[in-house]
Amino acid sequence: MHIAQLKAQADSVNRANRQTGEQKKAVVKTFRRKRIKAQGTPITHGEFMNWTDISTPRIESIVENLFGESIQLHENWVLGDVFHGRPVIIAYSTPMKWANYTIEALIFLLFVVGIAAAVRHRFFLMVGSWFLLDMFLHVGLGFGLNEVYIMAAHWAFIIPIAIGYLLSASPASVRRKLRAVLLALTFFLWMYNGSLLLGYIFD
């Protein structure tokens, strides 16, 4: 009788293990389906080319994710994951959304003017080559374009560098005004992003 009980227990464990294995396979399949849907259509199939993306819209991704979420969090889906339900493209939708887009446009404008001021410097050209490579991978080939904001640390450092060159090249009177603008931008971003992060942590 003791042997029979042990055999029954072993059969029960085996059944549980089989069920657990099937559940794990189902979870993996579901995750893969979500990943493919969130990731978009690859250029072609292959070991690395499966991670490319030609279906995710570029302009919206640049506005809302690349220069949007990378610098200003969206109030909806804070720290969300595209593989767990977060839409790939989210627009700012607060009553102050005009402020979000104005801030983004201002930072982008400072960045572009900073590039013009820095383009003759070798250090900036080195940094810029890294930035262009990243843009080719993310925006061109679509590697990680669906969640490009989580890779901002790869390239976003070029923005303050470009603005630094702009400050350096500006006359003293213009430099004072630029510093005031940068202080206002910094204060706004600390308050805006900080409030969303605190709300996420303590929610």
Side-chain angles (χ1 to χ4, degrees):
M1 186 66 179
H2 181 64
I3 294 174
Q5 288 177 341
L6 289 176
K7 188 175 182 302
Q9 288 176 357
D11 290 340
S12 176
V13 170
N14 288 334
R15 282 196 300 273
N17 287 338
R18 282 197 298 272
Q19 289 174 352
T20 302
E22 290 171 0
Q23 290 171 349
K24 286 180 180 178
K25 288 178 182 178
V27 169
V28 170
K29 286 181 180 178
T30 301
F31 174 77
R32 285 177 178 167
R33 282 196 299 269
K34 287 182 178 180
R35 187 187 72 183
I36 292 168
K37 183 179 179 181
Q39 186 175 329
T41 305
I43 295 172
T44 185
H45 294 284
E47 185 175 357
F48 296 108
M49 297 305 287
N50 278 331
W51 293 96
T52 60
D53 181 355
I54 59 172
S55 60
T56 299
R58 265 43 178 183
I59 300 300
E60 289 90 338
S61 293
I62 290 170
V63 172
E64 302 296 349
N65 292 336
L66 187 71
F67 285 100
E69 184 83 5
S70 297
I71 300 170
Q72 299 179 88
L73 298 172
H74 288 79
E75 66 282 359
N76 297 321
W77 297 92
V78 177
L79 302 185
D81 190 330
V82 294
F83 298 132
H84 293 279
R86 181 197 188 276
V88 174
I89 304 296
I90 298 176
Y92 294 104
S93 58
T94 62
M96 287 184 61
K97 66 179 181 180
W98 60 268
N100 296 117
Y101 290 111
T102 301
I103 294 295
E104 182 178 344
L106 179 57
I107 292 172
F108 183 76
L109 178 63
L110 289 169
F111 175 47
V112 171
V113 178
I115 291 175
V119 73
R120 296 179 182 273
H121 296 267
R122 290 183 179 179
F123 174 74
F124 186 79
L125 291 176
M126 179 186 69
V127 175
S129 66
W130 179 266
F131 172 75
L132 289 175
L133 174 62
D134 249 32
M135 293 304 100
F136 171 71
L137 292 173
H138 293 314
V139 180
L141 296 179
F143 281 104
L145 182 61
N146 57 331
E147 50 181 4
V148 68
Y149 42 84
I150 71 172
M151 290 164 275
H154 297 177
W155 60 269
F157 56 83
I158 194 175
I159 297 176
I161 292 174
I163 295 173
Y165 276 106
L166 174 60
L167 286 169
S168 178
S170 300
S173 59
V174 176
R175 194 179 304 139
R176 283 193 294 271
K177 293 175 182 177
L178 284 174
R179 284 174 178 166
V181 170
L182 292 172
L183 283 172
L185 281 173
T186 302
F187 179 76
F188 174 84
L189 291 173
W190 271 99
M191 295 297 294
Y192 176 78
N193 288 329
S195 64
L196 291 177
L197 288 172
L198 288 174
Y200 175 85
I201 291 170
F202 295 107
D203 187 10

